[in-house]
Amino acid sequence: MQQTDSDKKYALVIGANGGIGKEVVSQVSAQQRFDTIYTLSRGEAAYNISDFSAHTKLIHKAMDTADEAAVKSFIDELKDNGVKLSLVICTTGILHQEANTQSTPEVVGLKPEKRLEDMHEMQLAEYFRINSILPAIWLQNLVKVVDKQGANLVFFSARVGSISENELGGWYGYRASKAALNMLVKTAAVEYKRRAPNVSLMCYHPGTVDTGLSKPFQANVKPEKLFTPQFTVEQLLSICADLNPEQSPFYLDWKGEAIAW
């Protein structure tokens, strides 16, 4: 029996060129659950499409995933083509910015603050732009193209975004922007329940993963607590398989255990 467009399954990976994003693309493709996976990043694909499953079509688009107009245009294109997304994973996030990157002078050398005096207006704005506003733009637009028969929307968060568990202080911008992300997802879930009741929204804490984001902060991490991208993505996809939309939203760690908001 020939498959119709309405039977096809679609996934979207936002931030597909990052250390975790590339692994998400690889493992989601290997599942062979989706006919098409859309992958987004600021640059061209950092992987060979031919390396992935022959059963899954990969479509990559280079775009600024924090650009509101670009996001709306992309979502409108999906909607016009009848695409309904069953899985969306947003891996984007910023913790630090190397001094040799092509960034604005205000955020060059961005790093977590250790004390109040380290906070800087423009650096705080950059934390919120990437960690909070970018996901908010996607939350706003994705509601138009999620598969209302069932879908999972995942945003990479962090345990330090938990207001309840903050005992150490510091890292003002990163903590606050991830807490804001959590609140945005939690608030959006209320509206998604009305407009797309079979959709699960999740904030995911992947643990400390061996990527460029965590590289400057790995010295004090026990070897058994420094995860590979492969491990944390395996955990994520296993968790996604068991999400119950009636219990949405979720704030879970890599073990599938709930984190206090």
Side-chain angles (χ1 to χ4, degrees):
M1 187 174 180
Q2 188 174 10
Q3 188 182 42
T4 66
D5 285 345
S6 61
D7 295 327
K8 291 183 177 180
K9 295 290 185 182
Y10 300 91
L12 170 65
V13 181
I14 305 164
N17 274 0
I20 295 177
K22 286 186 288 187
E23 185 63 28
V24 169
V25 175
S26 177
Q27 291 194 32
V28 172
S29 173
Q31 286 185 334
Q32 299 184 18
R33 292 180 51 231
F34 299 96
D35 299 278
T36 301
I37 302 172
Y38 294 92
T39 65
L40 305 177
S41 66
R42 285 175 295 179
E44 296 303 320
Y47 45 81
N48 258 324
I49 290 179
S50 59
D51 291 342
F52 296 102
S53 169
H55 299 277
T56 301
K57 181 180 181 181
L58 263 66
I59 300 177
H60 182 80
K61 182 177 178 66
M63 62 176 279
D64 181 354
T65 55
D67 184 311
E68 187 172 9
V71 172
K72 184 179 185 303
S73 176
F74 174 75
I75 292 295
D76 286 346
E77 184 178 344
L78 294 186
K79 186 177 180 181
D80 290 344
N81 290 329
V83 171
K84 296 294 184 184
L85 297 169
S86 300
L87 176 67
V88 178
I89 298 179
C90 179
T91 71
T92 59
I94 189 169
L95 175 58
H96 63 94
Q97 188 84 316
E98 298 297 336
N100 61 354
T101 57
Q102 299 296 314
S103 186
T104 59
E106 294 85 356
V107 298
V108 164
L110 176 73
K111 61 182 179 181
E113 311 91 342
K114 294 182 178 179
R115 55 181 190 156
L116 288 164
E117 287 80 2
D118 294 335
M119 283 194 287
H120 185 285
E121 178 185 358
M122 295 302 296
Q123 295 190 1
L124 286 171
E126 184 68 0
Y127 274 124
F128 278 88
R129 185 180 76 86
I130 300 299
N131 294 339
S132 313
I133 297 172
L134 182 158
I137 293 169
W138 284 99
L139 280 166
Q140 179 187 51
N141 286 277
L142 284 167
V143 72
K144 295 181 285 188
V145 291
V146 288
D147 187 345
K148 295 182 180 180
Q149 300 305 309
N152 292 328
L153 271 57
V154 179
F155 295 87
F156 272 57
S157 185
R159 186 179 295 277
V160 297
S162 168
I163 293 176
S164 303
E165 293 190 13
N166 184 0
E167 301 292 339
L168 297 176
W171 290 36
Y172 288 91
Y174 188 71
R175 283 185 186 274
S177 60
K178 288 297 186 179
L181 163 63
N182 295 344
M183 180 58 82
L184 286 161
V185 170
K186 201 170 193 302
T187 305
V190 176
E191 189 166 347
Y192 269 75
K193 279 184 184 296
R194 295 196 302 267
R195 300 173 63 176
N198 293 315
V199 176
S200 295
L201 274 64
M202 177 168 72
C203 297
Y204 178 62
H205 168 59
T208 303
V209 185
D210 189 12
T211 64
L213 183 139
S214 70
K215 192 68 72 178
F217 312 99
Q218 293 179 6
N220 297 322
V221 179
K222 295 178 181 179
E224 66 272 18
K225 292 294 186 180
L226 182 61
F227 304 139
T228 64
Q230 179 182 358
F231 173 79
T232 197
V233 173
E234 286 173 352
Q235 294 296 108
L236 169 60
L237 296 182
S238 175
I239 292 166
C240 283
D242 293 325
L243 294 180
N244 181 346
E246 292 183 1
Q247 299 171 352
S248 176
F250 303 89
Y251 182 18
L252 304 176
D253 68 10
W254 55 273
K255 292 179 286 186
E257 295 181 354
I259 303 172
W261 296 91

